[in-house]
């Protein structure tokens, strides 16, 4: 869980879950993704966001956009001057984009979103080629619009970042830490890993929750989040449903590395049990 | 299909589908929802949108919000002054919200979205009670925040509406037609009706496409959209995949009226075949 440096951000409203029971045994400290890493990961894994621009009367204008992301994490838009947001950017490049995680059947109010604020510019030369490549990598079909003269690439040069991860998980990041952060290479593989662990390895998750997660009285456990640094479990015990963060011994650097990491953490739990 | 009164709005970018083959037999004119009805329906059926507000430095700020809708179609937000968008509204009520249809496994670039622009105010007295009721009807869990003093209800008084329905379906609506329009009462039932017709009534859909949809050479047909006025079919024929709009004889006024309407249109098609 990311440290909260700002005020509690009651961004959106929902049923507030009661505080879960905490661990009752010692747990090793486990690294979690920083707010900057969360933001970079979310921007890298999604392709659709909501853009806020300024209309000619000075009012904000919200619209849906598709985007790709540059190596720096700058969203690249490909918009038409026939669309209101395209006309707005041409007049005033100040813009913001919010990108939200797919709730994927879960609680949409407990899912991750990030707001990026910056100034959009039309890139030129090598920068234009890099922007085009970043956009097409995310949206391969978009080159069908290549022949339309009213379409241009825009790069949103981000200077302010606010990430909200769900209930009680939120933080801001400055531009320098955002650019320095790496998107989690395991992000696209995580949903499958979560489904697989919960479907086929409930016994392993229970041992992990008992031996490493601080819930020795757990009767069942499921994983709710996996990332390159570890996993978040929900452990059922006579005390109720408690949460546990269990770190991997080594940071996962490859997109297909979650399997080895979960096997290793299970072995470590069985040795400690 | 809604009449286009504005310029073509290349809102977002995707693979442009080729123009489908049109009908080769006479078809009766079929009513479709107006842009105002589309906007009202979308706002009434969704609960999550992206809000654009103005930050203290004058830049736009995009964030995720939950909302309910009043009888006039005004979004009701319940936001905290601890969140940036709450502070923004307290300083300057000018705001915009974009609400998008769930793509539901379909093409997200061919799904419906609407941008509303207006000014947000804190309601008082009877208006506050109406706003609270509208919000809680959409988000029953939200009253858990009732005890937090930093939360207030805000009503976005809409004065400008832009609806985009997907590829080539788009229009603007003025405030008067937006308020006068009724949300489609069948909207929540439509996804189930579509799935049911395609799974269990392919034979009926084929006859409808052949006899009423202008595709007498169709070899199969599926429904892609149903509303209170009729349905949109995609008919496969040796000419390719063509589209057909087939109207119901009577407008459906009840949420559970789609079954009777599709039975009636099938009977009409069998009589005409």
């Amino acid at each position: 869980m990311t440290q909260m440096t700002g005020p509690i951000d009651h961004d959106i409203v929902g049923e507030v879950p009661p505080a879960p029971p905490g661990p009752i045994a010692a747990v090793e400290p486990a690294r979690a993704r920083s707010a900057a890493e969360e933001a970079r990961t979310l921007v890298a894994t999604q392709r659709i966001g909501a853009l806020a621009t300024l209309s000619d009367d000075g009012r904000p204008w919200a619209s849906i956009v598709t985007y790709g992301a540059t190596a720096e994490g700058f969203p690249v838009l490909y918009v038409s001057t026939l669309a209101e947001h395209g006309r707005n950017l041409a007049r005033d490049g100040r813009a913001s984009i919010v990108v939200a995680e797919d709730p994927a059947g879960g609680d949409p109010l407990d899912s991750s979103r990030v707001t990026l604020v910056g100034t959009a510019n039309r890139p030129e030369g090598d920068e234009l080629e890099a922007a085009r490549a970043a956009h097409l990598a995310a949206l391969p079909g978009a080159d069908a619009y290549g022949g339309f003269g009213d379409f241009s690439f825009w790069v949103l040069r981000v200077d302010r970042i606010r990430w909200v991860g769900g209930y009680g998980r939120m933080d801001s990041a400055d531009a320098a830490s955002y650019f320095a952060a790496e998107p989690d290479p395991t992000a696209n593989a995580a949903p499958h890993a979560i489904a697989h662990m919960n479907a086929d390895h409930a016994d392993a998750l229970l041992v992990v929750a008992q031996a490493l997660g601080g819930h020795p009285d757990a009767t069942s456990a499921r994983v709710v989040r996996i990332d390159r640094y570890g996993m978040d479990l929900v452990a059922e015990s006579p005390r109720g449903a408690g949460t546990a963060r269990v770190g991997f011994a080594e940071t996962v650097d490859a997109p297909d590395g979650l399997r080895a990491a979960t096997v290793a953490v299970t072995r470590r739990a069985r040795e400690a049990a």
Side-chain angles (χ1 to χ4, degrees), chain A:
Chain A
M1 190 130 335
T2 296
Q3 233 185 338
M4 290 187 224
T5 58
I8 290 177
D9 188 340
H10 289 153
D11 232 31
I12 56 177
V13 172
E15 197 120 28
V16 185
I24 55 171
V27 290
E28 287 173 36
R31 181 170 177 182
R33 293 196 296 223
S34 67
E37 285 176 303
E38 291 285 359
R40 285 296 301 266
T41 301
L42 195 49
V43 169
T45 51
Q46 301 297 315
R47 300 182 311 142
I48 297 184
L51 185 71
T53 53
L54 295 170
S55 291
D56 57 2
D57 58 6
R59 301 202 290 180
W61 176 263
S63 60
I64 301 291
V65 288
T66 49
Y67 71 91
T70 66
E72 301 95 335
F74 289 146
V76 179
L77 316 177
Y78 188 47
V79 302
S80 166
T81 47
L82 298 179
E84 174 130 356
H85 55 213
R87 295 194 299 274
N88 290 349
L89 289 180
R91 191 187 321 103
D92 188 334
R94 292 179 296 171
S96 173
I97 187 169
V98 60
V99 174
E101 188 182 23
D102 298 320
D107 180 351
L109 306 185
D110 197 23
S111 62
S112 202
R113 61 262 185 203
V114 61
T115 293
L116 308 176
V117 185
T119 303
N121 297 107
R122 280 198 181 101
E124 292 181 355
D126 289 352
E127 231 181 337
L128 171 60
E129 289 318 304
R132 187 196 310 273
H135 191 271
L136 291 181
L139 302 154
D143 57 359
Y145 283 77
F148 289 92
D150 56 300
F151 272 86
S152 311
F153 287 100
W154 290 86
V155 176
L156 181 63
R157 280 159 222 287
V158 174
D159 57 57
R160 205 175 140 217
I161 298 96
R162 177 78 179 159
W163 169 74
V164 179
Y167 300 119
R169 302 173 69 231
M170 62 202 65
D171 206 350
S172 296
D174 59 21
S177 63
Y178 179 78
F179 303 142
E182 190 185 25
D184 187 332
T186 70
N188 287 323
H192 175 76
I194 291 169
H196 171 66
M197 292 295 290
N198 287 329
D200 299 337
H201 298 290
D203 53 337
L205 292 171
L206 178 57
V207 176
V208 172
Q210 290 169 334
L212 303 178
H215 296 274
D217 56 345
T219 53
S220 71
R222 63 195 165 83
V223 57
V224 293
R225 215 175 270 121
I226 299 187
D227 55 58
R228 66 189 308 183
Y229 301 121
M231 52 192 188
D232 290 326
L233 304 178
V234 171
E236 296 287 341
S237 77
R239 295 174 292 123
T243 57
R245 170 87 185 161
V246 178
F248 297 137
E250 288 177 39
T251 297
V252 181
D253 285 321
D256 61 354
L258 288 178
R259 185 183 157 78
T262 52
V263 167
V265 80
T266 302
R267 187 179 308 124
R268 188 152 56 91
R270 293 214 156 105
E271 285 165 6

